[in-house]
mmCIF file of all heavy atoms in Angstrom:
data_model
loop_
_atom_site.group_PDB
_atom_site.id
_atom_site.type_symbol
_atom_site.label_atom_id
_atom_site.label_comp_id
_atom_site.label_asym_id
_atom_site.label_seq_id
_atom_site.Cartn_x
_atom_site.Cartn_y
_atom_site.Cartn_z
ATOM 1 N N ARG A 1 -22.992 -5.424 -23.605
ATOM 2 C CA ARG A 1 -24.327 -5.274 -24.343
ATOM 3 C C ARG A 1 -24.409 -3.810 -24.885
ATOM 4 O O ARG A 1 -23.910 -2.889 -24.243
ATOM 5 C CB ARG A 1 -25.426 -5.573 -23.548
ATOM 6 C CG ARG A 1 -25.437 -7.093 -23.012
ATOM 7 C CD ARG A 1 -26.629 -7.340 -22.137
ATOM 8 N NE ARG A 1 -26.644 -8.824 -21.848
ATOM 9 C CZ ARG A 1 -27.639 -9.428 -21.116
ATOM 10 N NH1 ARG A 1 -28.735 -8.651 -20.815
ATOM 11 N NH2 ARG A 1 -27.628 -10.663 -20.829
ATOM 12 N N SER A 2 -25.192 -3.687 -25.836
ATOM 13 C CA SER A 2 -25.557 -2.336 -26.433
ATOM 14 C C SER A 2 -26.659 -1.758 -25.491
ATOM 15 O O SER A 2 -27.766 -2.184 -25.580
ATOM 16 C CB SER A 2 -26.037 -2.387 -27.801
ATOM 17 O OG SER A 2 -26.667 -1.203 -28.204
ATOM 18 N N GLU A 3 -26.333 -0.700 -24.671
ATOM 19 C CA GLU A 3 -27.243 -0.104 -23.830
ATOM 20 C C GLU A 3 -28.405 0.604 -24.561
ATOM 21 O O GLU A 3 -29.596 0.646 -24.240
ATOM 22 C CB GLU A 3 -26.632 0.825 -22.809
ATOM 23 C CG GLU A 3 -25.613 0.195 -21.878
ATOM 24 C CD GLU A 3 -26.298 -0.893 -20.980
ATOM 25 O OE1 GLU A 3 -27.472 -0.604 -20.603
ATOM 26 O OE2 GLU A 3 -25.663 -1.899 -20.723
ATOM 27 N N HIS A 4 -27.997 1.211 -25.683
ATOM 28 C CA HIS A 4 -29.012 1.893 -26.559
ATOM 29 C C HIS A 4 -30.057 1.011 -27.099
ATOM 30 O O HIS A 4 -31.218 1.212 -26.986
ATOM 31 C CB HIS A 4 -28.270 2.632 -27.639
ATOM 32 C CG HIS A 4 -29.213 3.557 -28.443
ATOM 33 N ND1 HIS A 4 -29.472 4.878 -28.135
ATOM 34 C CD2 HIS A 4 -29.922 3.245 -29.635
ATOM 35 C CE1 HIS A 4 -30.316 5.391 -29.046
ATOM 36 N NE2 HIS A 4 -30.647 4.403 -29.870
ATOM 37 N N ASN A 5 -29.525 -0.090 -27.683
ATOM 38 C CA ASN A 5 -30.564 -1.076 -28.166
ATOM 39 C C ASN A 5 -31.340 -1.790 -27.171
ATOM 40 O O ASN A 5 -32.555 -2.096 -27.354
ATOM 41 C CB ASN A 5 -29.769 -2.141 -29.044
ATOM 42 C CG ASN A 5 -29.298 -1.541 -30.397
ATOM 43 O OD1 ASN A 5 -29.780 -0.443 -30.823
ATOM 44 N ND2 ASN A 5 -28.349 -2.123 -31.031
ATOM 45 N N LEU A 6 -30.710 -2.004 -25.974
ATOM 46 C CA LEU A 6 -31.482 -2.599 -24.881
ATOM 47 C C LEU A 6 -32.706 -1.738 -24.525
ATOM 48 O O LEU A 6 -33.771 -2.157 -24.249
ATOM 49 C CB LEU A 6 -30.667 -2.815 -23.678
ATOM 50 C CG LEU A 6 -29.834 -4.238 -23.614
ATOM 51 C CD1 LEU A 6 -28.882 -4.148 -22.439
ATOM 52 C CD2 LEU A 6 -30.795 -5.306 -23.495
ATOM 53 N N ASN A 7 -32.508 -0.394 -24.622
ATOM 54 C CA ASN A 7 -33.558 0.579 -24.283
ATOM 55 C C ASN A 7 -34.710 0.324 -25.288
ATOM 56 O O ASN A 7 -35.958 0.362 -24.968
ATOM 57 C CB ASN A 7 -33.013 1.997 -24.265
ATOM 58 C CG ASN A 7 -34.172 2.967 -23.650
ATOM 59 O OD1 ASN A 7 -34.857 2.604 -22.690
ATOM 60 N ND2 ASN A 7 -34.269 4.094 -24.218
ATOM 61 N N TYR A 8 -34.332 0.202 -26.534
ATOM 62 C CA TYR A 8 -35.384 -0.053 -27.585
ATOM 63 C C TYR A 8 -36.168 -1.298 -27.206
ATOM 64 O O TYR A 8 -37.398 -1.399 -27.241
ATOM 65 C CB TYR A 8 -34.731 -0.257 -28.986
ATOM 66 C CG TYR A 8 -34.232 0.977 -29.648
ATOM 67 C CD1 TYR A 8 -33.256 0.825 -30.611
ATOM 68 C CD2 TYR A 8 -34.797 2.214 -29.431
ATOM 69 C CE1 TYR A 8 -32.754 1.860 -31.367
ATOM 70 C CE2 TYR A 8 -34.236 3.364 -30.110
ATOM 71 C CZ TYR A 8 -33.252 3.173 -31.044
ATOM 72 O OH TYR A 8 -32.807 4.329 -31.681
ATOM 73 N N TRP A 9 -35.445 -2.432 -26.989
ATOM 74 C CA TRP A 9 -36.002 -3.736 -26.764
ATOM 75 C C TRP A 9 -36.836 -3.748 -25.477
ATOM 76 O O TRP A 9 -37.721 -4.671 -25.372
ATOM 77 C CB TRP A 9 -34.968 -4.833 -26.825
ATOM 78 C CG TRP A 9 -34.257 -4.886 -28.194
ATOM 79 C CD1 TRP A 9 -34.871 -4.805 -29.414
ATOM 80 C CD2 TRP A 9 -32.922 -5.121 -28.363
ATOM 81 N NE1 TRP A 9 -33.921 -4.870 -30.389
ATOM 82 C CE2 TRP A 9 -32.758 -5.189 -29.833
ATOM 83 C CE3 TRP A 9 -31.791 -5.310 -27.610
ATOM 84 C CZ2 TRP A 9 -31.462 -5.396 -30.393
ATOM 85 C CZ3 TRP A 9 -30.524 -5.520 -28.196
ATOM 86 C CH2 TRP A 9 -30.396 -5.499 -29.554
ATOM 87 N N GLN A 10 -36.546 -2.951 -24.502
ATOM 88 C CA GLN A 10 -37.299 -2.933 -23.248
ATOM 89 C C GLN A 10 -38.365 -1.838 -23.351
ATOM 90 O O GLN A 10 -38.889 -1.473 -22.280
ATOM 91 C CB GLN A 10 -36.363 -2.757 -22.040
ATOM 92 C CG GLN A 10 -35.424 -3.921 -21.848
ATOM 93 C CD GLN A 10 -34.398 -3.686 -20.748
ATOM 94 O OE1 GLN A 10 -34.079 -2.599 -20.402
ATOM 95 N NE2 GLN A 10 -33.900 -4.784 -20.292
ATOM 96 N N PHE A 11 -38.659 -1.394 -24.461
ATOM 97 C CA PHE A 11 -39.806 -0.444 -24.724
ATOM 98 C C PHE A 11 -39.535 0.892 -24.053
ATOM 99 O O PHE A 11 -40.422 1.498 -23.531
ATOM 100 C CB PHE A 11 -41.147 -1.000 -24.297
ATOM 101 C CG PHE A 11 -42.323 -0.460 -25.041
ATOM 102 C CD1 PHE A 11 -42.439 -0.545 -26.462
ATOM 103 C CD2 PHE A 11 -43.398 0.135 -24.338
ATOM 104 C CE1 PHE A 11 -43.485 0.039 -27.095
ATOM 105 C CE2 PHE A 11 -44.474 0.605 -24.973
ATOM 106 C CZ PHE A 11 -44.496 0.586 -26.386
ATOM 107 N N GLY A 12 -38.293 1.346 -24.028
ATOM 108 C CA GLY A 12 -37.875 2.685 -23.460
ATOM 109 C C GLY A 12 -38.338 3.723 -24.489
ATOM 110 O O GLY A 12 -38.802 3.441 -25.593
ATOM 111 N N ASP A 13 -38.122 4.899 -24.140
ATOM 112 C CA ASP A 13 -38.383 6.135 -24.921
ATOM 113 C C ASP A 13 -37.178 6.595 -25.674
ATOM 114 O O ASP A 13 -35.997 6.353 -25.236
ATOM 115 C CB ASP A 13 -38.905 7.322 -24.093
ATOM 116 C CG ASP A 13 -40.439 7.099 -23.672
ATOM 117 O OD1 ASP A 13 -41.094 6.180 -24.224
ATOM 118 O OD2 ASP A 13 -40.862 7.919 -22.944
ATOM 119 N N TYR A 14 -37.314 7.270 -26.765
ATOM 120 C CA TYR A 14 -36.243 7.832 -27.523
ATOM 121 C C TYR A 14 -36.667 9.016 -28.393
ATOM 122 O O TYR A 14 -37.728 8.979 -28.966
ATOM 123 C CB TYR A 14 -35.537 6.805 -28.409
ATOM 124 C CG TYR A 14 -36.419 6.002 -29.266
ATOM 125 C CD1 TYR A 14 -36.665 6.255 -30.579
ATOM 126 C CD2 TYR A 14 -37.068 4.890 -28.644
ATOM 127 C CE1 TYR A 14 -37.501 5.570 -31.398
ATOM 128 C CE2 TYR A 14 -37.954 4.096 -29.491
ATOM 129 C CZ TYR A 14 -38.139 4.415 -30.798
ATOM 130 O OH TYR A 14 -38.949 3.661 -31.608
ATOM 131 N N LEU A 15 -35.819 10.031 -28.406
ATOM 132 C CA LEU A 15 -36.059 11.118 -29.301
ATOM 133 C C LEU A 15 -35.422 10.768 -30.600
ATOM 134 O O LEU A 15 -34.253 10.122 -30.595
ATOM 135 C CB LEU A 15 -35.402 12.462 -28.744
ATOM 136 C CG LEU A 15 -35.951 13.016 -27.473
ATOM 137 C CD1 LEU A 15 -35.066 14.155 -26.996
ATOM 138 C CD2 LEU A 15 -37.468 13.511 -27.721
ATOM 139 N N GLY A 16 -35.961 11.177 -31.716
ATOM 140 C CA GLY A 16 -35.441 10.907 -33.079
ATOM 141 C C GLY A 16 -35.171 12.291 -33.776
ATOM 142 O O GLY A 16 -36.116 13.021 -34.116
ATOM 143 N N ILE A 17 -33.912 12.613 -34.111
ATOM 144 C CA ILE A 17 -33.686 13.817 -34.831
ATOM 145 C C ILE A 17 -32.887 13.498 -36.136
ATOM 146 O O ILE A 17 -32.080 12.462 -36.218
ATOM 147 C CB ILE A 17 -32.868 14.797 -34.105
ATOM 148 C CG1 ILE A 17 -31.518 14.380 -33.673
ATOM 149 C CG2 ILE A 17 -33.629 15.354 -32.833
ATOM 150 C CD1 ILE A 17 -30.612 15.391 -33.021
ATOM 151 N N GLY A 18 -33.183 14.287 -37.222
ATOM 152 C CA GLY A 18 -32.479 14.010 -38.534
ATOM 153 C C GLY A 18 -33.601 13.523 -39.495
ATOM 154 O O GLY A 18 -34.688 13.115 -39.164
ATOM 155 N N ALA A 19 -33.126 13.532 -40.802
ATOM 156 C CA ALA A 19 -34.137 13.148 -41.845
ATOM 157 C C ALA A 19 -34.540 11.763 -41.789
ATOM 158 O O ALA A 19 -33.765 10.809 -41.706
ATOM 159 C CB ALA A 19 -33.428 13.433 -43.215
ATOM 160 N N GLY A 20 -35.841 11.562 -41.542
ATOM 161 C CA GLY A 20 -36.409 10.206 -41.488
ATOM 162 C C GLY A 20 -36.295 9.528 -40.049
ATOM 163 O O GLY A 20 -36.679 8.444 -39.933
ATOM 164 N N ALA A 21 -35.799 10.324 -39.112
ATOM 165 C CA ALA A 21 -35.577 9.743 -37.768
ATOM 166 C C ALA A 21 -36.949 9.550 -37.096
ATOM 167 O O ALA A 21 -37.903 10.342 -37.282
ATOM 168 C CB ALA A 21 -34.790 10.578 -36.891
ATOM 169 N N HIS A 22 -37.069 8.436 -36.262
ATOM 170 C CA HIS A 22 -38.297 8.132 -35.571
ATOM 171 C C HIS A 22 -38.028 8.325 -34.079
ATOM 172 O O HIS A 22 -36.914 7.999 -33.611
ATOM 173 C CB HIS A 22 -38.765 6.685 -35.894
ATOM 174 C CG HIS A 22 -39.451 6.547 -37.211
ATOM 175 N ND1 HIS A 22 -40.672 6.105 -37.418
ATOM 176 C CD2 HIS A 22 -38.952 6.752 -38.436
ATOM 177 C CE1 HIS A 22 -40.972 6.109 -38.654
ATOM 178 N NE2 HIS A 22 -39.960 6.477 -39.313
ATOM 179 N N GLY A 23 -39.006 8.672 -33.315
ATOM 180 C CA GLY A 23 -38.913 8.712 -31.909
ATOM 181 C C GLY A 23 -40.175 8.207 -31.247
ATOM 182 O O GLY A 23 -41.229 7.894 -31.927
ATOM 183 N N LYS A 24 -40.071 7.876 -29.988
ATOM 184 C CA LYS A 24 -41.231 7.367 -29.218
ATOM 185 C C LYS A 24 -41.184 7.986 -27.794
ATOM 186 O O LYS A 24 -40.186 7.856 -27.102
ATOM 187 C CB LYS A 24 -41.115 5.835 -29.066
ATOM 188 C CG LYS A 24 -42.118 5.238 -27.929
ATOM 189 C CD LYS A 24 -41.696 3.741 -27.752
ATOM 190 C CE LYS A 24 -42.379 3.277 -26.450
ATOM 191 N NZ LYS A 24 -41.756 3.715 -25.286
#
């Protein structure tokens, strides 16, 4: 499984860097 996407789907946090990147 994609561990990164699982973190999104389980409402984990993420930093977003780069043009147009989103973070939570």
Side-chain angles (χ1 to χ4, degrees):
R1 299 179 175 189
S2 166
E3 296 299 325
H4 186 89
N5 287 341
L6 274 173
N7 192 41
Y8 287 156
W9 296 322
Q10 293 174 342
F11 207 57
D13 282 351
Y14 48 97
L15 296 172
I17 63 172
H22 284 240
K24 166 190 165 286

